[in-house]
Amino acid sequence: MIYQDHADNISTIDTGYLQPQTAAAYLLIENGHAAIIDTGTSYSVANILAVLAAKSIPVEAVDYVILTHVHLDHAGGAGKLMQTLPNAELVVHPRGARHMVDPIKLIEGTIAVYGEQKMQQLYGDIPGVDETRIIQASDAMSIDFQGRALLCLDCPGHANHHICIWDAKSHSLFAGDTFGVSYRDFDTSQGNFIFPTTTPVQFDPGALQASIKRLISYEPDTIYLTHYSGLVTNLTGLADDLHSLIDAFVVFVREAPEDVSKREAHIWEQMYRLLYQRLQDHGCQLSEETCRQRLQHDVVLNTQGLLWWWDKTQAVYG
Ligand SMILES: [Zn+2]
């Protein structure tokens, strides 16, 4: 099953990134027209088109493709998808727009993190988008999607090219990576389990915490995450968990050994231990090894982002 329907004509589409139920795109339908929020990678386009077909929405009736931010697991498929949608406009943060026109910086940055082979394997080819089809979403800009207002909120902290989208009709938010990561494998009778994503290269703990507070101030009924799907219960409690984990992660990097060859592994271990401890407190029955496997991709990227932020901070204030 590559999609799941929710209230108010919202569907989660599994983009197939890394493993099932790891990254989502969202489909909104209004008056027989569609808006898509985040795209996954170039390899995800087939899934999005399959869901449009299953819903009998012609490609001509897709009005908007909205990107929460231009990290490639969210925006890597935008160029290829836009080629198949003749009438769609692409909505993106002003700081992300030029990277969608010419994705070379995104591609180079990803090769720097993953290497060329893994980059191709994860993301494939990334064509640019014609500048005339791009709408730059400044803070509080409202998109009129068939009379359904979609409000763009500038939400820095995970990345400074990040917007979240408030959908007043469903009283819900599309949070991209700003409201962390919550995998369904970690749900228990106590509810959802959540942790922040602090990936490179623009993570900023104070800005992220301010953005999380801003999201909660809307008192949403549902928060739709890219990783993964909609959260409906105890949203303020989950926000508290995010705040305390961001604080803990900052301590990990602050107290990491100075020896550069040791600090990455040190932070990994601290992060695994803390998250596994919290999972156990949450009533998770999965083995430690299974938890570590599920968390591995995020722990590695989170550690890189923390170190990047810390080194930048030290260079300025140290
Ligand atoms: Zn991201």
Side-chain angles (χ1 to χ4, degrees), residues 47-64:
N47 280 9
I48 293 172
L49 295 177
V51 176
L52 286 172
K55 303 267 178 196
S56 304
I57 303 284
V59 288
E60 292 80 10
V62 178
D63 296 352
Y64 295 106

Side-chain angles (χ1 to χ4, degrees), residues 136-303:
Q136 298 194 18
S138 51
D139 185 42
M141 189 190 89
S142 185
I143 302 165
D144 179 2
F145 168 48
Q146 300 290 320
R148 181 170 178 171
L150 301 175
L151 181 66
C152 300
L153 306 171
D154 186 10
C155 286
H158 172 77
N160 62 25
H161 44 81
H162 201 303
I163 56 171
C164 296
I165 294 100
W166 169 248
D167 173 28
K169 178 173 180 169
S170 64
H171 218 260
S172 62
L173 275 160
F174 296 86
D177 282 349
T178 297
F179 205 76
V181 169
S182 178
Y183 296 130
R184 301 286 62 78
D185 329 31
F186 294 149
D187 288 346
T188 69
S189 57
Q190 293 183 40
N192 308 122
F193 181 79
I194 206 160
F195 59 96
T197 165
T198 66
T199 53
V201 292
Q202 295 170 338
F203 166 65
D204 178 331
L208 184 55
Q209 289 178 323
S211 289
I212 292 165
K213 284 182 186 140
R214 187 178 187 195
L215 295 184
I216 287 296
S217 75
Y218 280 81
E219 300 182 359
D221 293 338
T222 309
I223 296 184
Y224 292 100
L225 309 178
T226 302
H227 315 283
Y228 178 88
S229 203
L231 307 180
V232 293
T233 51
N234 190 26
L235 296 176
T236 52
L238 293 173
D240 291 343
D241 292 345
L242 289 172
H243 286 301
S244 74
L245 284 167
I246 292 165
D247 290 340
F249 287 5
V250 166
V251 171
F252 293 161
V253 69
R254 204 184 290 280
E255 294 184 348
E258 282 186 28
D259 183 342
V260 175
S261 68
K262 289 186 182 148
R263 57 185 195 162
E264 196 167 43
H266 171 89
I267 298 170
W268 286 349
E269 194 52 33
Q270 301 280 323
M271 199 178 291
Y272 276 129
R273 277 193 206 161
L274 176 63
L275 293 176
Y276 183 59
Q277 180 61 53
R278 292 233 180 164
L279 278 163
Q280 286 187 303
D281 296 345
H282 185 65
C284 177
Q285 301 291 320
L286 299 172
S287 72
E288 182 167 359
E289 197 188 332
T290 303
C291 291
R292 282 188 177 235
Q293 275 171 5
R294 190 60 165 119
L295 292 167
Q296 187 189 18
H297 181 81
D298 294 297
V299 166
V300 169
L301 283 179
N302 276 355
T303 300

Side-chain angles (χ1 to χ4, degrees), residues 25-68:
Y26 290 96
L27 174 67
L28 280 69
I29 296 175
E30 196 71 27
N31 295 336
H33 285 247
I36 294 161
I37 299 180
D38 281 344
T39 66
T41 72
S42 291
Y43 300 121
S44 312
V45 171
N47 280 9
I48 293 172
L49 295 177
V51 176
L52 286 172
K55 303 267 178 196
S56 304
I57 303 284
V59 288
E60 292 80 10
V62 178
D63 296 352
Y64 295 106
V65 174
I66 304 167
L67 302 175
T68 59

